Amino acid sequence: MPKPKFVYFFGAGAAEGNGSMKELLGGKGAGLAEMTSIGLPVPAGFTITTEVCDLYYKSGKKYPAGLKEEVGKYVAKLERTTGKKLGDPADPLLVSVRSGAPVSMPGMMETILNLGLTDKSVAGLAAKTGNRRFALDAYRRFIMMYGSTAMGIARKKFDDEFDKVKETLTRKRLGADPETKIGDTDVNADELETLIAKYKALYKKEIKKDFPQDPSDQLWGAIAAVFDSWMAEKAVTYRKVEKLVGVKGTAVNVVQMVFGNKGETSGTGVCFTRDPSSGENVFYGDYLINAQGEDVVAGIRTPLKLTEFAKKDPAAYKQLCDVRTKLEKHYKDMQDMEFTVEEGKLYMLQCRAGKRTPAAAFRIAVDLVAEKLITKETAVSRIKTTDIEGIFYPAIDKSHAAEMKKSFLVQGIDAVPGAAAGKVYFSAEKAEDEAAKGTPVILVRKETSPEDVGGMHAASGILTATGGKTSHAAVVARGWGKCCIVGCEQLSVDYEARSFSVGDVTVKEGDWITLDGSNGNVYLGALKLIQPKLPKSYETLMGWVDEIRKVRVRTNADTPYDAAAARSRGAEGIGLCRTEHMFFDSEERILAIRSMIIADNAEDRKKALKTLLPIQTKDFEKIFKAMDGLGVTVRLIDPPLHEFVPHDEEGQRALAKACGMRFEVVRQRIEKLHEANPMLGHRGCRLAVTYPEILDMQVTAIMTAACNMAKKGVKVFPEIMVPLVIDEKEFAILEERIRAVAGEILAKKGVQIAYKVGTMIETPRAAILAGEIASRAEFFSFGTNDLTQMTLGMSRDDAGKFLPDYVDEHKAAIFRQDPFQSLDQKGVGLLVKNAITAARVVRKDIKLGICGEHGGDLESVKFCCRIGMDYVSASPFRVPVARLAAAQAAIEEAAEAGTAKTPRAARKPRTVRKTAADAKPAGTRRPRAKKAGNPQ
Amino acid sequence: MPKPKFVYFFGAGAAEGNGSMKELLGGKGAGLAEMTSIGLPVPAGFTITTEVCDLYYKSGKKYPAGLKEEVGKYVAKLERTTGKKLGDPADPLLVSVRSGAPVSMPGMMETILNLGLTDKSVAGLAAKTGNRRFALDAYRRFIMMYGSTAMGIARKKFDDEFDKVKETLTRKRLGADPETKIGDTDVNADELETLIAKYKALYKKEIKKDFPQDPSDQLWGAIAAVFDSWMAEKAVTYRKVEKLVGVKGTAVNVVQMVFGNKGETSGTGVCFTRDPSSGENVFYGDYLINAQGEDVVAGIRTPLKLTEFAKKDPAAYKQLCDVRTKLEKHYKDMQDMEFTVEEGKLYMLQCRAGKRTPAAAFRIAVDLVAEKLITKETAVSRIKTTDIEGIFYPAIDKSHAAEMKKSFLVQGIDAVPGAAAGKVYFSAEKAEDEAAKGTPVILVRKETSPEDVGGMHAASGILTATGGKTSHAAVVARGWGKCCIVGCEQLSVDYEARSFSVGDVTVKEGDWITLDGSNGNVYLGALKLIQPKLPKSYETLMGWVDEIRKVRVRTNADTPYDAAAARSRGAEGIGLCRTEHMFFDSEERILAIRSMIIADNAEDRKKALKTLLPIQTKDFEKIFKAMDGLGVTVRLIDPPLHEFVPHDEEGQRALAKACGMRFEVVRQRIEKLHEANPMLGHRGCRLAVTYPEILDMQVTAIMTAACNMAKKGVKVFPEIMVPLVIDEKEFAILEERIRAVAGEILAKKGVQIAYKVGTMIETPRAAILAGEIASRAEFFSFGTNDLTQMTLGMSRDDAGKFLPDYVDEHKAAIFRQDPFQSLDQKGVGLLVKNAITAARVVRKDIKLGICGEHGGDLESVKFCCRIGMDYVSASPFRVPVARLAAAQAAIEEAAEAGTAKTPRAARKPRTVRKTAADAKPAGTRRPRAKKAGNPQ
């Protein structure tokens, strides 16, 4: 294999690389090459590729053969291009050395400036610039940067030396007890020379070697430092936290120095081509006269706004404006740029797509389409999941960084984004009471259970000590878009004392805390929150999203309130209505369901169910109304019954009293509900098989509600869903019973309603035998939460102990992402894909969707689109994310089809539709939720 | 569709049906047809098919169209054949009506004899036989049988009438206070006539109709009674208990009456063509002179042995001997026959394959081969699983039926067959202590856990209140072939009081009880047990089994003792050695594993593992020695760690003390091990991923033991198995580590050992991605226990609440058998089959086996053979069953291949073998466990 090219040159209007080569050249290197190519003023230089970094680590920190020679060749080329030579005692070439990974990555090596200065060449710089102090100051800074950044000497040791010099000077010049101290700029050339000597001595003491006087040694030292910083703890942690996997390494950029600190016609700045905060099309940035980048970072002097810069130095500003126009035309996106002006001449040091707020992301995307710079598809492709989250959820006002830092308490798992501040309460009951009084409440629990749902709903935020992103707390809170932090293991919750503690800090009931659900941070006290505002451009862009996508988006909603909330976010029906969640809405309901559960025989059970029937009927009526004209998939009762009953003596005694039973009997019945593995226990349709009277009640409630609403002119499309099916026969038995009960209601009410009966596919066996089951089921909804648990043999409640290792890039790295967050496409996805194929063979028009947590995950939704689902169902707050994902999937598919020349393996459009709920507007497969006659 | 034929005639040497038509004609009907065809003396008659019964129930108890006519036609034919007419006042045709299902089924309608007698025809019978009393007695019996059996009048009411008559007669004839009473036969003709009048009055009172005087009405009444008895509670329960599914219904046999009660040259009998108890080739049976079948059943008179019959009535006996010879030649099996002699002439009433003891089953099969009546293959096919169980396990001496009935206490689930009598103890500790003194012990527990293993081993039998056939108690006991009854839910165990109670009966510590593991019955007191003896023919037959089978049989054995036991039963290696079971063998081991588990860091963990290393090494040495020359698959630690630690405060305090830790710390660490769904939690190779030091210790122990034994000349073939794998990468990481550790040991010891590294396939994901995993794994062992749990989403510990409904024919009937007992071939089996196909594509010579509980189940093993596994692994006591199953599978496969003309889809013989452990004798695929040079 021939040696790959290790180094890419740019300079004098030409570059070997370009902007598309981020993977190889890093973001910075690719940007410099691209800017050079399109004629922008960029100092010459070269980039050592990320591949070298990769090889360096693969071979145990050895450079690949040929690198030295190749770098040498390019140094010579740089010298030719600039007309200067490294280390030239007369007019030395100075360079900066920076790291630059394919993605922006804090924690890696910062810049080393002025490389090339030595005891000899510093004189040349002094002579050439006619400024000895400037040259010595540059040398001083270089030794410090090289010593600390490249060689790892503590920066403080250099600062201490400098401070000692300044103290001596202060005493010498201002007397023994001065009121003011002298600053850096007060140190003159001779004194700097003394300081340089001390720096070199410090260097020798620490490194046991003289400070390198050969610029080539300096260069290789800096290159090694960049590569080593790739594996520095900070950088590794960052990649882990940000889930950056598969990044090969960092590139090294060696660029000719330009100086912004050569006087009043020099300076340095950072700017955005548009306002990164609002997205408005105005030039935005800061400029610091007579300064180097380092000074901007240090934040000692206040920079000028660009408008002030324009007044101060119109000529330089004009050059910058030209660059702005050129860059936006070229990149067709808002750019973030670093630049330096040296004695009136502009040099571009970096450019990249600018980071922006979520609101700005929407505005810029929409504006760029209006400006005809990009297509709607491109605009849609640029929106990120976090952009949507950002415009819906409140956030902590980050302008008080110091306060935030001070009040930081602990970090948990970021289950649901958004922020919340409130008073701490430890019981759902108390939380409800306090919230009813108008107090903002944070509910703090070891873990939550269905009994806590009332308090969870009342609270502004939820914090739990245990559980993962798919624990009960997380799933329920996500449904409401309510800020939630889980698995905060350092939390010791003491229910008795009504307090929790983290280390020495104790937080009592009624104390204020603030949660940041976007990163899992918990703060003491009440921090200021910013309430998001939906930008106008949101509606425009989401309109395009709906035009583009081919897959419908439904929602998982269990209450009329959720249903309405989801519909307002664009949900085209309910994909999963979990009937059991309705049972926790009032004391009356809880008691009824509990009496039903502890009933010893079918008669008592039926009596209890009789109480529940009108309640469920009312709920369904409201849900059908909220979803007028759209399909509503109602899942029959699913969870293990023991989830509904109290497990403490007090609760059991209360229940016994309420039911008029002996406590001991209630205790025993509840004990009998205990299961070794409740996930795999007596739940789902197994409940309907053993207690068919529950099914009867639920179907009666659904169909009665549907009839009642239909009579009032509401368009209802009920879909009754059987959970946890494992076999065609099992489904058939229940389907027959459902149809019998439903038929009776319809006959009694004298109403015609086209309802469907289908099933969740959530056991591997159901997925394997999907073809058989499809012979009876009119729709499938893939319950990927449970399907993932069973296929992987991994309980999501217990995976916290080992799953992190499985996702960790530096440990097992078996999954790229938590399979409960992002669908395991290879394993679970294959089951789903095969099930879809088998089902469509048997029933061409079977309706297929997904209703697990994955329905709100970008990559998972894209996968669902690719394998041909008809819809995805997401929790109400994730509906816009799901819509976006579906649109992006359609765009990607179209792009692939375009690239592949021949169209992608022909997936036949699924056009056979049965009920009005499935009708689509003629001649288009584009879903338009709000269009009449298109109810889904 | 043309009407099917509903009625089949037999008589006068010809029959429309034959012996192969059991499904349609029932066992009795098919037997009568076959006997008629081969020229045996059978009274004429006809059979109404089981299909009619099926149609009867499918149409809501209505007879199919055309049945009446068809039966009418056959009655006429029967009248023609016999020369008599039903209801003929001169010489009436009398018939018996009997039910007859495809399988023998108690609880269904018994015989109705003498049908056709009416007030008028009884006179004809009297005249024709010249015996008025005989005729009236027949009529009396008929009314009683018809009234009770067909019409459901309580038999007692008829008996009461008879008793009253007899009492009156007694007073009349013998005086007011007689010492003896008069019997049935003392009642004369006139008195019988009075009784008949009373019977008819009783009939009218109960049925509100006169006793039918039209023989046709009688016949249809009897036919309806037979069909109705199919769904009688007793019959339904029997089918449920015996897991008889898919049986259409019962046939009805209408047969001309013959009379064994016509004097000294008449009689009736039951006999077996060979001794059903020993299998010896001697004629065996009972004969009652001047009697009808009814009298034999009543058991009032003592029947003659056949030898006596031969002396009494040599002519009749000669006819019977001819039949015996003819039947055995014809059926090529031992037959059980019912016959009647009417005035010196023999009539055959029934014949079927005779029931026999397990020992007889072996002897008869082997003898028939010697007699050249059947082939070895047929002999092997005839042996049943229960035959093998029966000759290995002790049984209760059934000769004291009354005592058994009296002492019966309760029935649980029959987890492991065999019987045991012993004193009750409630703790494993106490059980061990008492057993050590030589007391036979029954360990009674609510449920067992690994901590109880010592006590379980010491006990003669185990009884638990909870759990199913695959609960901890059942699985462990099965491994030892130890009698075990589980899930005895009526048992209230009170550990504190050291007693258990069932209803009002309380059994205290030290009381005797007897368990019958073959049916789950528990008896009070010590019943007499029969210790089985292995018949000589067992070895002969099992030799043929081993010649015939193509699949190897290994064993699941965790100790040297089990390994040796299994080998003596024909195991050809260990398919599953569960290392964790070794940890419960002594206090020292338990403490070491517990310290390891509660260790907070890798260092402490390693320290604890250091204690375990020499212990495990020693165990493996012994196991390798026991399996000299055979493969040994060792599974790395699998179960969740919390299974090893004490969950009660006392135990935790003791552990804290032993480890020198604070109780509170121990308590917290153990609490942290709690999991919501341990089955899907931190277990299997996930332990090795998070705590690789455990893997290191175990591999070190295995390989050190292997080297030590190899040096002593033992042929070792270690196979290291990674449990609960879900991904190729996960396996690869562990495989590399295993090879690294193993390589080090081999190098250090200077020994060459061909070891293998493979994996359990027990998660659906592993099965789906088997192709990928096979690229690294040298063998797969399908862990069908867990694979079933996960594929079905069904925890075997919790399935007790609903699985019975799923298996119940009259409820959901989703599974024909408990899927944890017999492999779910359709779902789990498909996963396994596809995994095998995918694996062999990637690695042609991959070794494939099964090691779940299913490895000891007949149908499951046959399935494994069909889909091309190399071996099955069963618990030591199930090894012979697995061998038999493998042979029967081979026979069935050959038969199918023969029938299908073209050979079955060519499965290529897997001949590429790598290690000596896999070598097979040249020119044969037949496994011979004990042959040199053929270690597996």
Side-chain angles (χ1 to χ4, degrees), chain A residues 290-308:
Chain A
N290 195 14
Q292 274 199 316
E294 208 201 358
D295 303 315
V296 181
V297 176
I300 304 165
R301 288 159 53 197
T302 308
L304 303 178
K305 296 277 142 218
L306 285 190
T307 42
E308 296 167 292

Side-chain angles (χ1 to χ4, degrees), chain B residues 100-162:
Chain B
V103 283
S104 170
M105 196 180 295
M108 274 173 49
M109 204 196 76
E110 284 152 28
T111 312
I112 294 178
L113 300 178
N114 307 335
L115 190 143
L117 282 177
T118 61
D119 292 350
K120 281 178 192 156
S121 69
V122 70
L125 181 63
K128 189 75 189 173
T129 57
N131 189 339
R132 181 166 160 253
R133 193 193 175 282
F134 165 76
L136 286 167
D137 191 49
Y139 193 27
R140 188 261 310 171
R141 287 173 192 251
F142 170 53
I143 299 172
M144 190 261 298
M145 279 193 271
Y146 187 86
S148 59
T149 308
M151 306 307 290
I153 302 169
R155 167 80 186 241
K156 192 174 173 295
K157 292 186 177 169
F158 287 103
D159 290 347
D160 287 349
E161 289 294 342
F162 200 6

Side-chain angles (χ1 to χ4, degrees), chain A residues 3-9 16-17 24-25 45-49 52 66-75 220 252 254:
Chain A
K3 185 189 82 61
K5 182 170 168 64
F6 289 141
V7 185
Y8 285 73
F9 192 80
E16 295 181 325
L24 190 66
L25 304 180
F46 58 82
T47 304
I48 304 173
T49 67
V52 175
L67 178 71
K68 292 257 173 185
E69 296 69 23
E70 196 169 340
V71 169
K73 207 180 82 184
Y74 278 97
V75 168
W220 283 105
V252 184
V254 179

Side-chain angles (χ1 to χ4, degrees), chain A residues 486-800:
Chain A
V486 297
C488 195
E489 300 216 334
Q490 291 172 64
L491 225 65
S492 285
V493 179
D494 187 339
Y495 289 135
E496 298 239 326
R498 285 183 290 174
S499 68
F500 74 80
S501 55
V502 176
D504 299 336
V505 183
T506 298
V507 175
K508 293 210 178 67
E509 184 181 273
D511 289 353
W512 281 83
I513 62 171
T514 303
L515 309 182
D516 188 342
S518 67
N519 55 19
N521 284 353
V522 180
Y523 301 92
L524 292 170
L527 298 188
K528 197 182 158 200
L529 303 187
I530 299 170
Q531 292 302 329
K533 268 202 304 197
L534 226 52
K536 277 185 210 159
S537 47
Y538 171 80
E539 287 300 339
T540 312
L541 192 127
M542 292 308 281
W544 301 339
V545 158
D546 290 343
E547 275 175 30
I548 293 165
R549 70 191 162 92
K550 290 182 183 147
V551 164
R552 289 169 183 278
V553 175
R554 290 190 174 198
T555 191
N556 303 346
D558 313 325
T559 65
Y561 173 86
D562 288 352
R567 190 166 192 171
S568 77
R569 285 181 181 78
E572 301 163 293
I574 290 180
L576 177 62
C577 175
R578 288 157 292 205
T579 50
E580 59 270 15
H581 285 189
M582 301 175 174
F583 296 138
F584 283 97
D585 225 43
S586 72
E587 281 300 320
E588 185 198 7
R589 291 168 179 224
I590 296 177
L591 181 60
I593 183 88
R594 285 176 175 172
S595 328
M596 193 275 286
I597 291 165
I598 59 168
D600 202 18
N601 53 66
E603 276 325 297
D604 285 357
R605 208 172 294 119
K606 278 181 191 162
K607 225 173 78 187
L609 287 167
K610 227 172 170 175
T611 322
L612 285 171
L613 177 60
I615 298 172
Q616 287 227 315
T617 308
K618 278 254 141 40
D619 283 343
F620 288 132
E621 285 178 0
K622 288 183 196 154
I623 287 172
F624 284 129
K625 201 172 162 201
M627 284 290 161
D628 189 358
L630 300 174
V632 174
T633 307
V634 181
R635 180 179 71 182
L636 300 180
I637 194 169
D638 175 65
L641 297 181
H642 75 82
E643 279 196 12
F644 295 101
V645 291
H647 291 282
D648 57 314
E649 187 177 325
E650 198 186 340
Q652 294 179 353
R653 286 201 183 274
L655 177 57
K657 206 175 153 192
C659 299
M661 289 167 78
R662 285 196 305 119
F663 160 67
E664 194 49 32
V665 173
V666 169
R667 197 189 60 72
Q668 278 178 11
R669 298 247 170 98
I670 289 178
E671 200 172 273
K672 274 207 174 166
L673 294 174
H674 171 78
E675 296 188 302
N677 299 288
M679 240 291 299
L680 310 179
H682 193 189
R683 50 171 290 234
C685 69
R686 291 163 198 175
L687 295 171
V689 169
T690 44
Y691 308 127
E693 49 277 7
I694 304 183
L695 176 145
D696 295 348
M697 183 280 282
Q698 293 205 300
V699 175
T700 303
I702 296 165
M703 295 309 294
T704 305
C707 289
N708 293 350
M709 285 298 102
K711 282 185 176 173
K712 290 188 180 166
V714 175
K715 288 205 187 75
V716 293
F717 299 98
E719 297 165 351
I720 299 173
M721 180 156 72
V722 182
L724 212 73
V725 157
I726 55 173
D727 195 273
E728 181 266 338
K729 192 164 175 198
E730 179 189 43
F731 177 73
I733 290 167
L734 299 174
E735 187 223 351
E736 273 169 25
R737 189 150 187 144
I738 290 168
R739 291 202 184 278
V741 175
E744 247 177 62
I745 307 289
L746 291 178
K748 206 173 79 184
K749 294 272 179 181
V751 180
Q752 286 281 358
I753 287 173
Y755 68 97
K756 288 185 171 166
V757 185
T759 179
M760 294 269 271
I761 299 290
E762 53 187 333
T763 64
R765 195 177 196 269
I768 296 165
L769 302 177
E772 288 186 14
I773 296 169
S775 70
R776 307 281 310 217
E778 291 176 294
F779 63 88
F780 280 176
S781 179
F782 289 90
T784 47
N785 291 353
D786 280 2
L787 193 56
T788 300
Q789 298 196 81
M790 294 175 196
T791 305
L792 274 58
M794 200 179 276
S795 159
R796 68 182 184 192
D797 290 331
D798 303 315

Side-chain angles (χ1 to χ4, degrees), chain B residues 903-933:
Chain B
R904 240 181 138 211
R907 202 211 308 153
K908 277 182 198 144
R910 295 172 297 283
T911 47
V912 186
R913 299 285 155 179
K914 266 182 165 174
T915 69
D918 295 303
K920 291 194 175 162
T924 173
R925 278 182 46 73
R926 286 180 184 163
R928 284 178 190 275
K930 281 147 201 159
K931 221 169 174 179

Side-chain angles (χ1 to χ4, degrees), chain B residues 620-690:
Chain B
F620 288 132
E621 284 178 0
K622 288 181 194 155
I623 286 172
F624 283 129
K625 202 172 162 201
M627 285 289 159
D628 187 357
L630 300 174
V632 174
T633 306
V634 181
R635 180 178 73 183
L636 300 180
I637 192 168
D638 175 65
L641 297 181
H642 74 82
E643 279 196 12
F644 295 100
V645 291
H647 292 282
D648 57 314
E649 187 175 326
E650 197 187 339
Q652 293 179 354
R653 285 202 183 275
L655 177 58
K657 206 175 153 194
C659 299
M661 288 169 78
R662 285 196 305 121
F663 160 67
E664 195 49 33
V665 173
V666 169
R667 198 190 58 74
Q668 278 177 11
R669 298 245 171 99
I670 289 177
E671 200 171 274
K672 276 208 172 165
L673 294 174
H674 172 79
E675 295 187 303
N677 297 289
M679 240 291 300
L680 311 178
H682 193 188
R683 50 171 290 232
C685 70
R686 293 164 196 173
L687 294 170
V689 169
T690 44

Side-chain angles (χ1 to χ4, degrees), chain B residues 384-412:
Chain B
K384 295 194 293 289
T385 306
T386 45
D387 293 333
I388 291 184
E389 285 167 1
I391 57 164
F392 276 108
Y393 297 114
I396 294 175
D397 182 353
K398 302 260 176 6
S399 52
H400 307 287
E403 190 193 339
M404 280 178 72
K405 205 170 169 182
K406 219 180 66 190
S407 53
F408 173 80
L409 177 65
V410 66
Q411 187 177 37

Side-chain angles (χ1 to χ4, degrees), chain B residues 555-570:
Chain B
T555 191
N556 302 346
D558 313 325
T559 64
Y561 173 85
D562 288 351
R567 192 165 192 172
S568 78
R569 286 181 180 77

